[in-house]
Amino acid sequence: MTAREQAVAAEIRRIVREELREPGPFADDEELAGRLDSLLLLALVTAVEDRFRVILGADDAARTRSLADLARLVAAREAAPAPGPEAAP
Amino acid sequence: MGPVEPPGGLLAGAPHPRVAAVGRALPPHWYDQETLLAALGAYWSSRHHNPDRLAALHRAVQVKGRHLALPLEAYPGLDGLGKANDAWIAAATDLGEAAVRDALARAGLGPADVDQLWFVTVTGLAVPSIDARLCNRLRLRREVRRTPVFGLGCAAGAGGTARAADLLRAFPGEVAVMLSVELCSLTLQRDDASIANAVSSGLFGDGAAAVVLTGGERGTTAPRGPEVVATRTVLYPDTEWVMGWEIVDGGFKVLLSGKVPEVVRTRVGPDVDAFLAAHGLARGDVRHWVAHTGGPKVLTAFGEALGLPEQALARSRRSLAELGNLSSASVLFVLGDLLDAGEARPGDLGLLAAMGPGFAAELLLLRW
């Protein structure tokens, strides 16, 4: 992972630990759905979108399995925002 | 060592207190979920980067619509705790009166028959408390013993009924009314775009329910509900963070962990088993499960914890979809629905259960 991706991953870990109160280490390649149920996953995505000012879609969810996947997706989306409400003129 | 049944089991000793009737009242202002979501979206659009995500959380609670204490257009004017709480006092008194009158009529009793009045809520504050105001409204006797309870949260409908039943064992000739009024809509923090608020603003509704309980030596002429054979409360150590209020300048800001279902799934089974075992019973002996309508996932967790078939919680799920989570009043609405259905037969056992801030469980063993 790039330095930015690692920084994003660290912040996601903080959200999981402090906001979702899911304790314990969370490895980069650990499956998110293995640790978080659907409601907590939705809560994580809600928090990540607001924290990083990105919008994640259904296609993104299908391609995102691990914490590292999510960190890479968020870092890429920060660099090149997907077309969305905020991109409209 | 936990509490145990006196020698001789359930059939021994003095007659148990009994649920004579359950009354209910809902405010007249009903809105479907999308109408409520549209109203909240106006606040959220400037508070979260992706308001659609908050809307998804809102929809995930599987509620069709809610009754609100006030018409929707009245809420923007409630800017602060003072105005919201004034509205709460007025609406809680009206709705509480309606629920108590309904319950007494169903029990075949009148205001003069009431010896104890319990009042539980977690959505507003009043001094004198709502029970005192209702003594005047309903012309209850001056000697009525009043007990207002604030803070048991969603568990208070079960907990208040349990405490009232416990006290009736000391005064078996008396009649107790246990009233729950919850106006969750009047606690809404419109500036709070948190996940907890997105879930709770989609989940919680307004309503009031009253249970009339008669002591074991106090008969009534009306059809009678189940005896309250035993009660138990369980506090789960070090779970204060699971749910509660943070009191802010604007009022009551909700604290609601996404881990409530997990706490319920892991803790409730052993405690229900221990409660039943103290009375020589097991899960299979319970015919009617009256569960608090915490939310779709909480109900699933409750069912999984106890190995219940889906049908066992169908009444709770239906109430949740139709009314939302009415906090402490919810479990009493479900009990009222069960009594109305007339499904229970003499000798049937039921378990009424609710969980709330603490985190804690309140359990009542019922027998028809």
mmCIF file of all heavy atoms in Angstrom, chain A residues 19-59:
data_model
loop_
_atom_site.group_PDB
_atom_site.id
_atom_site.type_symbol
_atom_site.label_atom_id
_atom_site.label_comp_id
_atom_site.label_asym_id
_atom_site.label_seq_id
_atom_site.Cartn_x
_atom_site.Cartn_y
_atom_site.Cartn_z
ATOM 1 N N GLU A 19 -15.541 4.103 16.945
ATOM 2 C CA GLU A 19 -16.934 4.438 16.637
ATOM 3 C C GLU A 19 -17.816 3.194 16.572
ATOM 4 O O GLU A 19 -18.974 3.241 16.952
ATOM 5 C CB GLU A 19 -17.000 5.250 15.336
ATOM 6 C CG GLU A 19 -16.253 6.587 15.470
ATOM 7 C CD GLU A 19 -16.382 7.474 14.237
ATOM 8 O OE1 GLU A 19 -17.359 7.311 13.486
ATOM 9 O OE2 GLU A 19 -15.500 8.319 14.050
ATOM 10 N N LEU A 20 -17.267 2.109 16.058
ATOM 11 C CA LEU A 20 -18.061 0.874 16.013
ATOM 12 C C LEU A 20 -17.798 -0.013 17.225
ATOM 13 O O LEU A 20 -18.463 -1.024 17.411
ATOM 14 C CB LEU A 20 -17.763 0.091 14.728
ATOM 15 C CG LEU A 20 -17.941 0.840 13.411
ATOM 16 C CD1 LEU A 20 -17.772 -0.115 12.244
ATOM 17 C CD2 LEU A 20 -19.291 1.521 13.338
ATOM 18 N N ARG A 21 -16.811 0.339 18.035
ATOM 19 C CA ARG A 21 -16.459 -0.385 19.257
ATOM 20 C C ARG A 21 -16.187 -1.851 18.984
ATOM 21 O O ARG A 21 -16.644 -2.732 19.710
ATOM 22 C CB ARG A 21 -17.541 -0.198 20.323
ATOM 23 C CG ARG A 21 -17.712 1.262 20.720
ATOM 24 C CD ARG A 21 -18.574 1.417 21.927
ATOM 25 N NE ARG A 21 -17.898 0.996 23.137
ATOM 26 C CZ ARG A 21 -17.433 1.819 24.059
ATOM 27 N NH1 ARG A 21 -17.562 3.099 23.925
ATOM 28 N NH2 ARG A 21 -16.842 1.352 25.132
ATOM 29 N N GLU A 22 -15.480 -2.098 17.895
ATOM 30 C CA GLU A 22 -15.060 -3.451 17.560
ATOM 31 C C GLU A 22 -13.585 -3.565 17.941
ATOM 32 O O GLU A 22 -12.718 -3.094 17.207
ATOM 33 C CB GLU A 22 -15.274 -3.705 16.070
ATOM 34 C CG GLU A 22 -14.953 -5.115 15.616
ATOM 35 C CD GLU A 22 -15.858 -6.163 16.223
ATOM 36 O OE1 GLU A 22 -17.064 -5.916 16.341
ATOM 37 O OE2 GLU A 22 -15.336 -7.224 16.624
ATOM 38 N N PRO A 23 -13.271 -4.142 19.090
ATOM 39 C CA PRO A 23 -11.900 -4.128 19.577
ATOM 40 C C PRO A 23 -11.019 -5.159 18.878
ATOM 41 O O PRO A 23 -11.510 -5.967 18.095
ATOM 42 C CB PRO A 23 -12.060 -4.467 21.062
ATOM 43 C CG PRO A 23 -13.277 -5.322 21.103
ATOM 44 C CD PRO A 23 -14.178 -4.864 19.988
ATOM 45 N N GLY A 24 -9.756 -5.132 19.202
ATOM 46 C CA GLY A 24 -8.834 -6.133 18.677
ATOM 47 C C GLY A 24 -8.200 -5.706 17.379
ATOM 48 O O GLY A 24 -8.697 -4.809 16.702
ATOM 49 N N PRO A 25 -7.082 -6.353 16.998
ATOM 50 C CA PRO A 25 -6.384 -5.991 15.762
ATOM 51 C C PRO A 25 -7.228 -6.334 14.535
ATOM 52 O O PRO A 25 -8.056 -7.247 14.577
ATOM 53 C CB PRO A 25 -5.108 -6.831 15.825
ATOM 54 C CG PRO A 25 -5.424 -7.968 16.728
ATOM 55 C CD PRO A 25 -6.430 -7.466 17.707
ATOM 56 N N PHE A 26 -7.039 -5.562 13.467
ATOM 57 C CA PHE A 26 -7.779 -5.775 12.221
ATOM 58 C C PHE A 26 -6.730 -5.798 11.112
ATOM 59 O O PHE A 26 -6.197 -4.764 10.742
ATOM 60 C CB PHE A 26 -8.781 -4.626 12.011
ATOM 61 C CG PHE A 26 -10.018 -5.023 11.262
ATOM 62 C CD1 PHE A 26 -11.273 -4.787 11.807
ATOM 63 C CD2 PHE A 26 -9.938 -5.627 10.010
ATOM 64 C CE1 PHE A 26 -12.426 -5.141 11.124
ATOM 65 C CE2 PHE A 26 -11.083 -5.990 9.329
ATOM 66 C CZ PHE A 26 -12.326 -5.748 9.889
ATOM 67 N N ALA A 27 -6.405 -6.999 10.604
ATOM 68 C CA ALA A 27 -5.335 -7.135 9.611
ATOM 69 C C ALA A 27 -5.762 -6.520 8.275
ATOM 70 O O ALA A 27 -6.956 -6.449 7.966
ATOM 71 C CB ALA A 27 -4.994 -8.611 9.419
ATOM 72 N N ASP A 28 -4.757 -6.083 7.491
ATOM 73 C CA ASP A 28 -5.049 -5.465 6.194
ATOM 74 C C ASP A 28 -5.902 -6.372 5.311
ATOM 75 O O ASP A 28 -6.791 -5.909 4.605
ATOM 76 C CB ASP A 28 -3.739 -5.156 5.449
ATOM 77 C CG ASP A 28 -3.030 -3.946 6.042
ATOM 78 O OD1 ASP A 28 -3.683 -3.185 6.784
ATOM 79 O OD2 ASP A 28 -1.829 -3.777 5.763
ATOM 80 N N ASP A 29 -5.582 -7.676 5.340
ATOM 81 C CA ASP A 29 -6.270 -8.583 4.407
ATOM 82 C C ASP A 29 -7.477 -9.282 5.044
ATOM 83 O O ASP A 29 -8.070 -10.173 4.442
ATOM 84 C CB ASP A 29 -5.278 -9.622 3.875
ATOM 85 C CG ASP A 29 -4.659 -10.453 5.008
ATOM 86 O OD1 ASP A 29 -4.922 -10.119 6.181
ATOM 87 O OD2 ASP A 29 -3.926 -11.414 4.717
ATOM 88 N N GLU A 30 -7.836 -8.855 6.250
ATOM 89 C CA GLU A 30 -8.996 -9.485 6.907
ATOM 90 C C GLU A 30 -10.286 -9.051 6.220
ATOM 91 O O GLU A 30 -10.469 -7.890 5.875
ATOM 92 C CB GLU A 30 -9.035 -9.086 8.391
ATOM 93 C CG GLU A 30 -10.145 -9.802 9.157
ATOM 94 C CD GLU A 30 -10.045 -9.609 10.660
ATOM 95 O OE1 GLU A 30 -9.003 -9.121 11.130
ATOM 96 O OE2 GLU A 30 -11.027 -9.938 11.355
ATOM 97 N N GLU A 31 -11.205 -10.009 6.052
ATOM 98 C CA GLU A 31 -12.483 -9.692 5.403
ATOM 99 C C GLU A 31 -13.335 -8.835 6.321
ATOM 100 O O GLU A 31 -13.584 -9.195 7.475
ATOM 101 C CB GLU A 31 -13.240 -10.988 5.075
ATOM 102 C CG GLU A 31 -12.599 -11.795 3.975
ATOM 103 C CD GLU A 31 -13.586 -12.157 2.871
ATOM 104 O OE1 GLU A 31 -14.777 -11.835 3.012
ATOM 105 O OE2 GLU A 31 -13.145 -12.738 1.871
ATOM 106 N N LEU A 32 -13.805 -7.713 5.800
ATOM 107 C CA LEU A 32 -14.645 -6.824 6.610
ATOM 108 C C LEU A 32 -15.921 -7.543 7.060
ATOM 109 O O LEU A 32 -16.345 -7.443 8.207
ATOM 110 C CB LEU A 32 -15.013 -5.581 5.798
ATOM 111 C CG LEU A 32 -13.846 -4.639 5.462
ATOM 112 C CD1 LEU A 32 -14.273 -3.650 4.380
ATOM 113 C CD2 LEU A 32 -13.373 -3.906 6.703
ATOM 114 N N ALA A 33 -16.515 -8.286 6.118
ATOM 115 C CA ALA A 33 -17.794 -8.942 6.422
ATOM 116 C C ALA A 33 -17.628 -10.094 7.410
ATOM 117 O O ALA A 33 -18.611 -10.569 7.978
ATOM 118 C CB ALA A 33 -18.442 -9.445 5.136
ATOM 119 N N GLY A 34 -16.362 -10.536 7.600
ATOM 120 C CA GLY A 34 -16.142 -11.586 8.582
ATOM 121 C C GLY A 34 -16.222 -11.066 10.005
ATOM 122 O O GLY A 34 -16.511 -11.806 10.939
ATOM 123 N N ARG A 35 -15.950 -9.776 10.164
ATOM 124 C CA ARG A 35 -15.923 -9.187 11.498
ATOM 125 C C ARG A 35 -17.171 -8.337 11.785
ATOM 126 O O ARG A 35 -17.627 -8.260 12.925
ATOM 127 C CB ARG A 35 -14.681 -8.313 11.630
ATOM 128 C CG ARG A 35 -14.482 -7.673 12.995
ATOM 129 C CD ARG A 35 -13.921 -8.649 14.011
ATOM 130 N NE ARG A 35 -12.500 -8.836 13.759
ATOM 131 C CZ ARG A 35 -11.552 -8.015 14.238
ATOM 132 N NH1 ARG A 35 -11.876 -7.015 15.003
ATOM 133 N NH2 ARG A 35 -10.289 -8.228 13.955
ATOM 134 N N LEU A 36 -17.701 -7.698 10.733
ATOM 135 C CA LEU A 36 -18.796 -6.742 10.937
ATOM 136 C C LEU A 36 -20.068 -7.264 10.278
ATOM 137 O O LEU A 36 -20.023 -7.705 9.122
ATOM 138 C CB LEU A 36 -18.426 -5.382 10.326
ATOM 139 C CG LEU A 36 -17.095 -4.784 10.778
ATOM 140 C CD1 LEU A 36 -16.792 -3.516 9.984
ATOM 141 C CD2 LEU A 36 -17.116 -4.474 12.274
ATOM 142 N N ASP A 37 -21.187 -7.201 11.001
ATOM 143 C CA ASP A 37 -22.442 -7.614 10.369
ATOM 144 C C ASP A 37 -22.913 -6.500 9.427
ATOM 145 O O ASP A 37 -22.282 -5.451 9.319
ATOM 146 C CB ASP A 37 -23.491 -7.998 11.414
ATOM 147 C CG ASP A 37 -24.047 -6.806 12.182
ATOM 148 O OD1 ASP A 37 -23.787 -5.653 11.793
ATOM 149 O OD2 ASP A 37 -24.758 -7.036 13.175
ATOM 150 N N SER A 38 -24.035 -6.744 8.749
ATOM 151 C CA SER A 38 -24.437 -5.828 7.679
ATOM 152 C C SER A 38 -24.705 -4.418 8.206
ATOM 153 O O SER A 38 -24.391 -3.429 7.546
ATOM 154 C CB SER A 38 -25.674 -6.381 6.967
ATOM 155 O OG SER A 38 -26.751 -6.514 7.885
ATOM 156 N N LEU A 39 -25.258 -4.327 9.405
ATOM 157 C CA LEU A 39 -25.558 -3.003 9.956
ATOM 158 C C LEU A 39 -24.261 -2.259 10.306
ATOM 159 O O LEU A 39 -24.119 -1.063 10.023
ATOM 160 C CB LEU A 39 -26.442 -3.136 11.205
ATOM 161 C CG LEU A 39 -26.913 -1.827 11.835
ATOM 162 C CD1 LEU A 39 -27.747 -1.017 10.851
ATOM 163 C CD2 LEU A 39 -27.725 -2.086 13.097
ATOM 164 N N LEU A 40 -23.304 -2.985 10.883
ATOM 165 C CA LEU A 40 -22.026 -2.353 11.221
ATOM 166 C C LEU A 40 -21.253 -1.990 9.949
ATOM 167 O O LEU A 40 -20.566 -0.971 9.901
ATOM 168 C CB LEU A 40 -21.197 -3.266 12.125
ATOM 169 C CG LEU A 40 -21.681 -3.372 13.576
ATOM 170 C CD1 LEU A 40 -20.893 -4.434 14.329
ATOM 171 C CD2 LEU A 40 -21.576 -2.042 14.307
ATOM 172 N N LEU A 41 -21.366 -2.828 8.912
ATOM 173 C CA LEU A 41 -20.729 -2.491 7.636
ATOM 174 C C LEU A 41 -21.314 -1.200 7.071
ATOM 175 O O LEU A 41 -20.592 -0.326 6.603
ATOM 176 C CB LEU A 41 -20.925 -3.632 6.629
ATOM 177 C CG LEU A 41 -19.915 -4.777 6.695
ATOM 178 C CD1 LEU A 41 -20.341 -5.885 5.737
ATOM 179 C CD2 LEU A 41 -18.510 -4.292 6.346
ATOM 180 N N LEU A 42 -22.642 -1.106 7.134
ATOM 181 C CA LEU A 42 -23.299 0.108 6.641
ATOM 182 C C LEU A 42 -22.858 1.319 7.469
ATOM 183 O O LEU A 42 -22.604 2.406 6.941
ATOM 184 C CB LEU A 42 -24.825 -0.079 6.709
ATOM 185 C CG LEU A 42 -25.716 0.992 6.086
ATOM 186 C CD1 LEU A 42 -25.340 1.258 4.642
ATOM 187 C CD2 LEU A 42 -27.177 0.561 6.173
ATOM 188 N N ALA A 43 -22.733 1.112 8.769
ATOM 189 C CA ALA A 43 -22.270 2.186 9.644
ATOM 190 C C ALA A 43 -20.836 2.584 9.301
ATOM 191 O O ALA A 43 -20.487 3.772 9.293
ATOM 192 C CB ALA A 43 -22.373 1.754 11.111
ATOM 193 N N LEU A 44 -19.993 1.597 8.994
ATOM 194 C CA LEU A 44 -18.601 1.892 8.637
ATOM 195 C C LEU A 44 -18.544 2.715 7.348
ATOM 196 O O LEU A 44 -17.836 3.718 7.266
ATOM 197 C CB LEU A 44 -17.814 0.580 8.476
ATOM 198 C CG LEU A 44 -16.376 0.743 7.973
ATOM 199 C CD1 LEU A 44 -15.543 1.551 8.958
ATOM 200 C CD2 LEU A 44 -15.735 -0.619 7.720
ATOM 201 N N VAL A 45 -19.309 2.282 6.345
ATOM 202 C CA VAL A 45 -19.302 2.995 5.065
ATOM 203 C C VAL A 45 -19.816 4.430 5.269
ATOM 204 O O VAL A 45 -19.268 5.388 4.714
ATOM 205 C CB VAL A 45 -20.149 2.240 4.022
ATOM 206 C CG1 VAL A 45 -20.317 3.078 2.765
ATOM 207 C CG2 VAL A 45 -19.499 0.905 3.692
ATOM 208 N N THR A 46 -20.857 4.567 6.090
ATOM 209 C CA THR A 46 -21.404 5.899 6.366
ATOM 210 C C THR A 46 -20.331 6.802 6.977
ATOM 211 O O THR A 46 -20.164 7.955 6.579
ATOM 212 C CB THR A 46 -22.602 5.787 7.334
ATOM 213 O OG1 THR A 46 -23.525 4.841 6.814
ATOM 214 C CG2 THR A 46 -23.296 7.121 7.507
ATOM 215 N N ALA A 47 -19.587 6.267 7.941
ATOM 216 C CA ALA A 47 -18.561 7.053 8.618
ATOM 217 C C ALA A 47 -17.398 7.357 7.681
ATOM 218 O O ALA A 47 -16.870 8.481 7.670
ATOM 219 C CB ALA A 47 -18.067 6.299 9.856
ATOM 220 N N VAL A 48 -16.992 6.371 6.874
ATOM 221 C CA VAL A 48 -15.853 6.552 5.957
ATOM 222 C C VAL A 48 -16.191 7.604 4.895
ATOM 223 O O VAL A 48 -15.372 8.469 4.574
ATOM 224 C CB VAL A 48 -15.481 5.199 5.313
ATOM 225 C CG1 VAL A 48 -14.577 5.399 4.101
ATOM 226 C CG2 VAL A 48 -14.794 4.311 6.348
ATOM 227 N N GLU A 49 -17.399 7.547 4.363
ATOM 228 C CA GLU A 49 -17.791 8.527 3.342
ATOM 229 C C GLU A 49 -17.717 9.942 3.883
ATOM 230 O O GLU A 49 -17.256 10.861 3.203
ATOM 231 C CB GLU A 49 -19.219 8.236 2.865
ATOM 232 C CG GLU A 49 -19.319 7.043 1.939
ATOM 233 C CD GLU A 49 -20.730 6.842 1.427
ATOM 234 O OE1 GLU A 49 -21.690 7.058 2.203
ATOM 235 O OE2 GLU A 49 -20.878 6.458 0.265
ATOM 236 N N ASP A 50 -18.192 10.112 5.102
ATOM 237 C CA ASP A 50 -18.205 11.473 5.654
ATOM 238 C C ASP A 50 -16.795 11.920 6.046
ATOM 239 O O ASP A 50 -16.420 13.070 5.828
ATOM 240 C CB ASP A 50 -19.136 11.537 6.868
ATOM 241 C CG ASP A 50 -19.602 12.963 7.148
ATOM 242 O OD1 ASP A 50 -19.978 13.668 6.187
ATOM 243 O OD2 ASP A 50 -19.576 13.371 8.317
ATOM 244 N N ARG A 51 -16.007 10.997 6.593
ATOM 245 C CA ARG A 51 -14.668 11.334 7.049
ATOM 246 C C ARG A 51 -13.765 11.734 5.884
ATOM 247 O O ARG A 51 -12.996 12.678 5.968
ATOM 248 C CB ARG A 51 -14.086 10.147 7.818
ATOM 249 C CG ARG A 51 -12.620 10.232 8.174
ATOM 250 C CD ARG A 51 -12.374 11.316 9.211
ATOM 251 N NE ARG A 51 -10.954 11.443 9.464
ATOM 252 C CZ ARG A 51 -10.105 12.093 8.671
ATOM 253 N NH1 ARG A 51 -10.544 12.684 7.595
ATOM 254 N NH2 ARG A 51 -8.832 12.157 8.974
ATOM 255 N N PHE A 52 -13.854 10.978 4.767
ATOM 256 C CA PHE A 52 -12.943 11.211 3.640
ATOM 257 C C PHE A 52 -13.601 11.998 2.500
ATOM 258 O O PHE A 52 -12.972 12.186 1.460
ATOM 259 C CB PHE A 52 -12.395 9.876 3.126
ATOM 260 C CG PHE A 52 -11.525 9.162 4.125
ATOM 261 C CD1 PHE A 52 -12.035 8.107 4.873
ATOM 262 C CD2 PHE A 52 -10.216 9.568 4.357
ATOM 263 C CE1 PHE A 52 -11.242 7.459 5.816
ATOM 264 C CE2 PHE A 52 -9.421 8.928 5.300
ATOM 265 C CZ PHE A 52 -9.941 7.874 6.043
ATOM 266 N N ARG A 53 -14.856 12.412 2.704
ATOM 267 C CA ARG A 53 -15.575 13.187 1.694
ATOM 268 C C ARG A 53 -15.614 12.459 0.361
ATOM 269 O O ARG A 53 -15.294 13.030 -0.698
ATOM 270 C CB ARG A 53 -14.969 14.597 1.509
ATOM 271 C CG ARG A 53 -14.515 15.273 2.784
ATOM 272 C CD ARG A 53 -15.612 15.394 3.810
ATOM 273 N NE ARG A 53 -16.646 16.370 3.463
ATOM 274 C CZ ARG A 53 -17.755 16.530 4.183
ATOM 275 N NH1 ARG A 53 -17.984 15.768 5.253
ATOM 276 N NH2 ARG A 53 -18.640 17.427 3.857
ATOM 277 N N VAL A 54 -15.946 11.178 0.390
ATOM 278 C CA VAL A 54 -16.079 10.390 -0.836
ATOM 279 C C VAL A 54 -17.466 9.764 -0.859
ATOM 280 O O VAL A 54 -18.164 9.730 0.160
ATOM 281 C CB VAL A 54 -15.020 9.261 -0.920
ATOM 282 C CG1 VAL A 54 -13.614 9.841 -0.979
ATOM 283 C CG2 VAL A 54 -15.169 8.300 0.272
ATOM 284 N N ILE A 55 -17.864 9.288 -2.042
ATOM 285 C CA ILE A 55 -19.122 8.552 -2.161
ATOM 286 C C ILE A 55 -18.812 7.188 -2.756
ATOM 287 O O ILE A 55 -18.140 7.088 -3.787
ATOM 288 C CB ILE A 55 -20.141 9.329 -3.028
ATOM 289 C CG1 ILE A 55 -20.603 10.573 -2.243
ATOM 290 C CG2 ILE A 55 -21.320 8.438 -3.402
ATOM 291 C CD1 ILE A 55 -21.650 11.413 -2.937
ATOM 292 N N LEU A 56 -19.263 6.151 -2.085
ATOM 293 C CA LEU A 56 -19.013 4.781 -2.522
ATOM 294 C C LEU A 56 -20.324 4.176 -3.018
ATOM 295 O O LEU A 56 -21.379 4.387 -2.413
ATOM 296 C CB LEU A 56 -18.464 3.945 -1.351
ATOM 297 C CG LEU A 56 -17.234 4.544 -0.641
ATOM 298 C CD1 LEU A 56 -16.849 3.689 0.559
ATOM 299 C CD2 LEU A 56 -16.065 4.684 -1.599
ATOM 300 N N GLY A 57 -20.253 3.450 -4.125
ATOM 301 C CA GLY A 57 -21.464 2.901 -4.733
ATOM 302 C C GLY A 57 -21.579 1.401 -4.548
ATOM 303 O O GLY A 57 -20.723 0.761 -3.923
ATOM 304 N N ALA A 58 -22.651 0.840 -5.112
ATOM 305 C CA ALA A 58 -22.887 -0.601 -4.991
ATOM 306 C C ALA A 58 -21.776 -1.398 -5.683
ATOM 307 O O ALA A 58 -21.354 -2.448 -5.197
ATOM 308 C CB ALA A 58 -24.250 -0.953 -5.590
ATOM 309 N N ASP A 59 -21.278 -0.896 -6.829
ATOM 310 C CA ASP A 59 -20.180 -1.586 -7.523
ATOM 311 C C ASP A 59 -18.941 -1.635 -6.650
ATOM 312 O O ASP A 59 -18.205 -2.626 -6.639
ATOM 313 C CB ASP A 59 -19.842 -0.873 -8.838
ATOM 314 C CG ASP A 59 -20.956 -1.025 -9.852
ATOM 315 O OD1 ASP A 59 -21.855 -1.855 -9.606
ATOM 316 O OD2 ASP A 59 -20.930 -0.316 -10.870
#
